[in-house]
Amino acid sequence: MAEFWDVYAWPFIWIVLKIFFIIVPLLVAVAYLTYAERKVIGFMQLRMGPNVVGPFGLLQPFADGLKLLTKEAIIPTGSNKVVFLLAPMLTFTLGLIGWAVIPVDEGIVLSDINVGILYLFAISSLGVYGIIMAGWASNSIYPFLGALRSAAQMVSYEVSIGFVIVTVMLAVGSLNLSDIVLAQKELWFFIPLFPMFVIFFISALAETNRAPFDLPEAEAELVSGYNVEYSAMAFALFFLGEYANMILMSAMTVILFLGGWLPPFDVSVFTWIPGIVWFTIKVACVLFVFLWVRATLPRYRYDQLMRLGWKVFLPFSLAWVVITAGAIVAFDWFPQ
């Protein structure tokens, strides 16, 4: 019996606890990201934002969640009910499982696998399936058009994201996310790879269907797009999945270009602050830019969106991969 606990039970309980300590703070972060978005956009538009439920409106996310939890779930008569309900679950799940390989501090990661960057790329690529399933299963023309738009958009910008990741891998010589962070001890990659940093961030906006690339949810054309037939907690799962993906893409930006958990300067004032705090601050700063962009920029036309992805980002990112590889070979900058 003692052997059973030592070999099977305790390792399983420990993994479950680690998953719990990742998911619970992430869900709280998702809830308060919705609050932060409404507050930030409110201040930028010279209005208050949520300020009634709780002090400074801090309980508004929980009031919204309770409202959606108690609403009636309406399933369209002509829909494929199984796929209709699976789609939001898949979207929400994919927003969470990507965090299995995200190192928030040195040694603090659920699974420090050697191909972590490929795992993240695969997870982000699967996100389109939830949206396609939702659009098709609703048996309605507007969700279906929104789902097709989203599929084309996400596939287009994933190509650019892939070339950006290849550039970073060339500079590091590893697919391990912790190695990528530690390679930035002397210089964060957003300085030598600044054009790729910009392309990655803009592609992240498109990948998460955020403004100004929120074409799948264009209210004037598609009546909110792929999720128009959803209500109650099914709609809430799409909502939570989108914000969880925003946080995940911000964490990827921080790891690939902003030094992960490393402090900005190697001085005693900064080094005593835990790495997880630096990681959280950086992710919050990237998320603020997400919100800033939404409050500032108008929505692109669909042809402009596609032209930017295929005629600007794709050739430029491909050229930068060639330039980076050539510089590494020419100047013998092979990563150790």
Side-chain angles (χ1 to χ4, degrees), residues 105-124:
D105 200 346
E106 191 164 8
I108 304 181
V109 57
L110 181 63
S111 180
D112 193 21
I113 59 177
N114 288 329
V115 289
I117 196 70
L118 290 184
Y119 173 86
L120 279 179
F121 192 56
I123 294 300
S124 65

Side-chain angles (χ1 to χ4, degrees), residues 9-27 96-113 276:
W10 287 120
F12 177 77
I13 292 171
W14 178 236
I15 290 174
V16 170
L17 284 174
K18 288 199 288 186
I19 293 172
F20 179 82
F21 285 123
I22 291 172
I23 289 180
V24 171
L26 181 60
L27 292 178
L96 297 180
I97 62 176
W99 284 87
V101 297
I102 297 290
V104 297
D105 200 346
E106 191 164 8
I108 304 181
V109 57
L110 181 63
S111 180
D112 193 21
I113 59 177
I276 191 171

